[in-house]
């Protein structure tokens, strides 16, 4: 039996409907007028006598305080004691550690104390700062939320709990508390765009230059090339403001909920929009959803943005230099100091001849097993200082090349291959073996191939030339005798695949990873591994920060230089963990031909500036010293003539038919 609706209840329903519509209209108006902050943070400082930089605190407050005291930034009462020093954080104060809030409180106070003393404390944004402000909380731990319990309104928490339980059948109160621990809503209020910490973070730059050094979190990608640092800070600030304003407007409009997974927000908003009845309201909100989708997809906030890109930290230096050098020139800087990518063994290292410093030594020991580190720069140069335990200041070492192993540098791998004991792990074909080579506590994967003297010499010559040019394409290669057979032993990463494997996967051919030969074994004749016993697909290169196309371009030039005309897909190899490329199969290279293969000429026209410069530095004496024991003088002269052809083809307008 139905009952008449009381008049007062009908009026309430009408009022609520009008209020919801007005809220949605207001939300659309809010986003239409949202603007990025008018003034971007200052980007450049000159005439600074001393700079102390640190990276990736990740809530490790006690380790951080110990570091600041070791380098004289604060005294025993944690007051600024560094005078006119400039202190720089390269980002990631937050996440993974319970004391993130204490780190921010300390730095916010020290910023004022530093300025009053004539110094400065710069906080460059890291990806974890922007994630927290915008609501991507996947790395926030319960201890971080707990720091905001006193700031959480119990009534607000109860409202959110009741709302979520009502719209999520089967969800329990206990599950709600697990997903949204005590302090969650206080954290969101204070670290959101309008909160005390959120506003502070949004006022910080994404990159700064102090004298000749840029400090930033991830590193420069080609996305940044057209921008000055000032423009980068403005654009990044606008990207954050656009996302935050759009998300706020969608929440007011009822198209986003607090529990929505960050990565699915755009799709969820669109789905809820589509469920509205067609009409004026849906038409008003549709541009709002599209603007949010555009803000979420802004490249500056993505993998190639300044807070996520790892090319300078991880990728092939010869290829990546063509991205790095234009950025530094635009910024008027000599080097860039980055965090974000934890250095191996808790050690700060330099790449690109000192042009890049990787400063993240894993300060949060519980998460990264590293140690607090600071880069101190003054008129005497730059040194790294460690705390917990404290070490004397020292020069920043060059990072070794990692190609055959991600834990052992390539020079050490070569020594290991030359001296270690060989244990066969798989027979691929007659005279072609997968092996593990061990010496002491170290070991590395490798491939042994029995080969004649000429093949061995050419393999060694290719390896030596690769190292002379600093390309990092040819793994450590040595001559060895195994089981009475002379041949070549060449390093391999733990997980690797060939271009043939990739082609097979693309074409739907079921094949396991190749048990590859180094050279002189035809594709048809080489044995193949059986598919994994569990029936899973082989792991193949899936891209990543390192541009495979740029690495392939280096491979084309290397093949042209050594006179290789038979780079079959089984000899173009990938480290499937690092998404880096390496080469094998050079037994038929070198020789006296002075021309380059016709098929390579169009490719060689795209040879990058860095490789061109390295090729120009080759001369007969240097090549003779590196390769003379393996190839003839005539072969060396032919190689240099091929080098000249490569450089000619790389000139503008050349290499085109």
């Amino acid at each position: 039996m139905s009952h008449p609706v009381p008049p007062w209840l009908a009026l309430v329903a009408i009022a609520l409907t009008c209020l919801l519509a007005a809220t949605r209209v207001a939300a659309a108006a809010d986003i239409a007028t949202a603007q990025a902050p008018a003034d971007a943070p200052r980007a450049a400082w000159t005439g600074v006598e001393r700079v102390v930089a640190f990276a990736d605190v990740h809530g490790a407050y006690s380790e951080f305080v110990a570091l600041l005291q070791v380098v004289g930034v604060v005294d025993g009462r944690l007051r600024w004691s560094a005078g006119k020093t400039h202190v720089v954080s390269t980002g990631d104060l937050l996440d993974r550690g319970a004391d993130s809030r204490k780190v921010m409180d300390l730095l916010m106070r020290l910023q004022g104390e530093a300025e009053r003393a004539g110094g400065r404390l710069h906080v460059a944004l890291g990806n974890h700062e922007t994630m927290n402000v915008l609501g991507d909380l996947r790395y926030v731990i319960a201890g971080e939320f707990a720091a905001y319990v006193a700031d959480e309104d119990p009534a607000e928490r109860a409202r959110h709990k009741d709302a979520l339980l009502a719209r999520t059948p089967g969800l329990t109160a206990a599950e709600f508390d697990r997903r949204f621990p005590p302090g969650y809503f206080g954290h969101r209020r204070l670290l959101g765009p309008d909160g005390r910490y959120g506003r502070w973070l949004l006022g910080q730059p994404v990159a700064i230059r102090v004298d000749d050094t840029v400090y930033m979190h991830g590193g420069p990608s080609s996305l940044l090339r057209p921008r000055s640092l000032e423009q980068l800070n403005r654009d990044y600030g606008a990207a954050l403001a656009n996302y935050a304003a759009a998300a706020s407007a969608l929440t007011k409009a009822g198209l986003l909920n607090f529990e929505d997974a960050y990565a699915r927000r755009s799709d969820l908003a669109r789905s809820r929009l589509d469920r509205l009845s067609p009409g004026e309201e849906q038409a008003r909100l549709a541009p709002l959803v599209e603007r949010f989708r555009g803000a979420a997809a802004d490249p500056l906030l993505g993998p190639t943005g300044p807070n996520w890109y790892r090319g300078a930290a991880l990728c092939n230096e010869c290829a990546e230099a063509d991205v790095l050098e234009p950025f530094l020139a635009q910024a008027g800087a000599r080097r860039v100091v980055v965090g974000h990518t934890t250095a191996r063994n808790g050690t700060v290292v330099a790449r690109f001849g000192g042009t890049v410093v990787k400063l993240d030594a894993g300060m949060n020991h519980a998460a990264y097993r590293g140690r607090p580190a600071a880069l101190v720069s003054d008129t005497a140069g730059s040194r790294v200082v460690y705390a917990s335990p404290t070490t004397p200041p020292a020069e920043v070492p060059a990072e070794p090349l990692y190609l055959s192993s991600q834990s052992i540098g390539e020079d050490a791998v070569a020594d290991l291959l030359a001296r270690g004991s060989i244990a066969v792990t798989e027979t691929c074909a007659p005279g072609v073996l997968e092996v593990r080579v061990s010496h002491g506590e170290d070991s590395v994967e490798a491939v042994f191939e029995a080969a004649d003297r000429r093949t061995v010499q050419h393999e060694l010559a290719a390896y030596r030339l690769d190292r002379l040019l600093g390309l990092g394409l040819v793994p450590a290669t040595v001559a060895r005798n195994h089981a009475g057979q002379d041949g070549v032993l060449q390093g391999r990463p733990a997980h690797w695949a060939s271009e043939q494997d990739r082609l097979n996967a693309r074409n739907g051919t079921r094949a396991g990873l190749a048990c590859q030969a180094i050279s002189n074994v035809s594709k048809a004749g080489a044995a193949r591994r059986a598919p994994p016993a569990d029936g899973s697909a082989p792991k193949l290169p899936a891209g990543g920060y390192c541009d495979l196309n740029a690495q392939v371009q280096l491979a084309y030039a290397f093949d042209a230089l050594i006179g290789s005309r038979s780079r079959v897909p089984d000899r173009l190899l990938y480290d499937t963990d690092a998404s880096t490329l390496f080469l094998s199969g050079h037994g038929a290279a070198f020789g006296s031909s002075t021309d380059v293969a016709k098929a390579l000429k169009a490719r060689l026209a795209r040879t990058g500036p860095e490789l061109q410069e390295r090729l120009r530095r080759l001369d007969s004496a240097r090549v003779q010293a590196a390769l003379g024991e393996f190839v003839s003088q005539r072969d060396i002269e032919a190689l240099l003539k091929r080098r000249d052809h490569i450089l000619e083809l790389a000139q503008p307008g050349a290499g085109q038919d």
Side-chain angles (χ1 to χ4, degrees):
M1 180 177 178
S2 62
H3 297 277
V5 177
W8 66 269
L9 186 57
L11 290 174
V12 169
I14 293 171
L16 288 174
T17 301
C18 293
L19 178 61
L20 179 58
T23 299
R24 286 171 169 163
V25 171
D30 286 348
I31 194 169
T33 57
Q35 299 289 331
D39 297 323
R42 181 174 171 180
W45 305 78
T46 58
V48 177
E49 295 180 359
R50 183 172 182 257
V51 182
V52 175
F54 60 88
D56 295 73
V57 178
H58 282 299
Y61 180 77
S62 60
E63 294 97 322
F64 179 49
V65 166
L67 179 66
L68 294 182
Q69 291 177 325
V70 164
V71 294
V73 170
V74 299
D75 60 20
R77 298 183 301 118
L78 303 188
R79 296 294 175 179
W80 180 267
S81 60
K84 297 181 179 181
T85 296
H86 281 225
V87 175
V88 184
S89 166
T90 64
D92 278 9
L93 307 172
L94 310 178
D95 290 346
R96 304 188 191 278
D99 290 329
S100 297
R101 185 175 186 175
K102 291 172 67 175
V103 172
M104 287 191 292
D105 285 339
L106 176 60
L107 291 179
M108 292 168 77
R109 172 171 61 78
L110 289 177
Q111 276 190 327
E113 293 180 10
E115 189 165 355
R116 289 190 292 273
R120 289 290 188 276
L121 194 156
H122 310 280
V123 177
L125 292 172
N127 58 305
H128 286 265
E129 279 76 58
T130 60
M131 290 167 72
N132 273 263
V133 172
L134 299 183
D136 184 352
L137 310 181
R138 66 189 119 148
Y139 299 113
V140 184
I141 65 171
E144 292 179 279
F145 289 130
Y148 296 85
V149 168
D151 302 287
E152 187 169 83
D153 180 357
E156 178 190 17
R157 182 176 182 84
R159 285 195 302 271
H160 283 305
K161 178 183 286 189
D162 291 343
L164 185 58
L165 293 177
R167 62 177 172 256
T168 312
L171 183 71
T172 66
E175 176 65 13
F176 176 90
D177 290 334
R178 187 191 68 79
R179 289 176 58 186
F180 308 100
Y184 177 93
F185 296 101
H187 177 280
R188 294 318 308 134
R189 182 165 59 82
L190 291 179
L191 261 167
D194 296 323
R196 174 175 181 255
Y197 298 110
R199 288 195 306 271
W200 174 66
L201 290 171
L202 289 176
Q204 308 307 314
V206 72
I208 64 166
R209 177 174 60 82
V210 181
D211 292 322
D212 66 353
T213 302
V214 171
Y215 297 88
M216 62 190 304
H217 185 61
S221 69
S222 57
L223 178 68
L224 312 188
R225 184 175 297 176
R227 297 174 170 91
S228 65
L229 292 182
E230 292 79 5
Q231 188 64 50
L232 173 60
N233 284 326
R234 282 194 293 270
D235 291 349
Y236 195 80
L240 295 176
N242 286 339
Y243 184 98
S248 176
L250 286 177
T251 301
K252 290 179 182 177
L255 298 182
L256 281 183
N257 296 325
F258 74 90
E259 75 274 13
D260 291 340
Y262 182 84
R264 297 190 61 224
R265 284 177 173 177
S266 293
D267 292 338
L268 290 170
R270 182 73 212 185
S271 175
R272 289 166 186 150
L273 176 71
D274 291 342
R275 289 199 295 270
L276 294 177
S277 299
E280 183 179 345
E281 183 182 17
Q282 189 185 60
R284 279 196 305 267
L285 293 176
L288 179 62
V289 171
E290 289 309 306
R291 181 170 176 182
F292 179 71
R293 290 169 71 89
D298 191 314
L300 284 173
L301 303 181
T304 58
N307 277 341
W308 285 98
Y309 188 67
R310 300 182 193 266
L314 294 177
C315 300
N316 183 291
E317 291 191 19
C318 188
E320 198 66 24
D322 291 336
V323 175
L324 175 65
E325 293 300 331
F327 170 82
L328 291 175
Q330 173 72 19
R334 177 183 63 85
R335 67 175 181 172
V336 58
V337 175
V338 300
H340 189 47
T341 303
T342 309
R344 295 170 175 86
N345 306 315
T347 301
V348 175
V349 292
R351 302 189 78 217
F352 299 86
T355 304
V356 173
V357 176
K358 294 168 62 172
L359 187 52
D360 179 6
M363 188 180 305
N364 185 326
H365 184 77
Y368 295 105
R369 316 309 298 172
R371 51 184 171 163
L375 184 71
V376 180
S377 303
D378 54 27
T379 55
S382 293
R383 286 90 55 207
V384 63
V385 178
Y386 298 99
S388 305
T390 301
T391 65
E395 297 294 323
V396 178
E399 183 177 54
L401 172 65
Y402 292 93
L403 186 57
S404 302
S405 168
Q406 289 302 310
S407 60
I408 305 174
E410 201 67 5
D411 288 345
V413 169
D415 183 66
L416 179 60
L417 294 179
R419 300 197 297 157
S421 59
I422 299 174
V424 177
T425 57
E426 187 169 351
T427 299
C428 307
V432 182
L433 309 171
E434 278 201 342
V435 301
R436 186 162 190 83
V437 184
S438 303
H439 185 75
E441 297 181 354
D442 294 326
S443 62
V444 68
E445 306 293 329
V447 169
F448 173 83
E449 182 187 356
D452 59 38
R453 182 173 180 274
R454 182 176 181 275
T455 296
V456 171
Q457 288 181 322
H458 286 182
E459 294 292 351
L460 295 173
Y463 168 62
R464 291 280 187 90
L465 182 62
D466 175 84
R467 293 303 182 269
L468 179 62
L469 288 167
L471 300 183
L473 293 174
V474 181
T477 306
V478 301
R480 283 293 298 264
N481 181 286
H482 174 68
Q485 291 184 300
D486 290 329
V488 173
L489 190 59
Q490 190 175 75
R492 288 289 186 274
H495 302 105
W496 57 281
S498 72
E499 175 64 8
Q500 187 63 54
D501 291 313
R502 191 188 68 80
L503 293 173
N504 289 345
R506 187 182 71 182
N507 296 332
T509 303
R510 182 169 175 76
L513 301 185
C515 188
Q516 310 287 3
I518 296 175
S519 63
N520 292 348
V521 176
S522 70
K523 183 171 61 178
R528 307 288 289 183
R529 286 192 186 127
D534 61 4
S536 61
K539 184 177 181 181
L540 295 170
Y545 292 100
C546 302
D547 185 347
L548 282 175
N549 289 329
Q551 296 175 74
V552 170
Q553 186 65 39
L554 292 181
Y556 286 132
F558 186 71
D559 278 349
L561 183 64
I562 65 175
S564 175
R565 297 173 180 266
S566 58
R567 177 69 62 193
V568 297
D570 270 352
R571 296 175 184 170
L572 189 70
L573 311 176
Y574 306 101
D575 180 333
T576 56
D577 292 325
S579 293
T580 53
L581 177 146
F582 61 100
L583 305 175
S584 69
H586 306 111
F590 299 97
S592 59
S593 174
T594 61
D595 198 9
V596 298
K598 184 176 181 180
L600 290 176
K601 289 186 177 181
R603 298 280 189 175
L604 295 174
R606 297 194 289 272
T607 301
E610 176 65 21
L611 181 54
Q612 290 183 51
E613 179 57 31
R614 296 186 186 197
L615 291 173
R616 289 189 188 99
R617 291 199 296 265
L618 290 180
D619 57 38
S620 181
R622 293 183 69 207
V623 178
Q624 175 67 37
L627 312 186
E629 63 182 299
F630 306 122
V631 297
S632 69
Q633 181 61 37
R634 184 182 178 188
D635 290 345
I636 291 173
E637 292 170 359
L639 182 149
L640 292 171
K641 288 182 180 179
R642 292 192 295 268
R643 181 277 311 271
D644 294 340
H645 287 319
I646 296 169
L647 292 174
E648 290 168 5
L649 289 166
Q651 298 309 303
Q656 318 225 346
D657 294 330

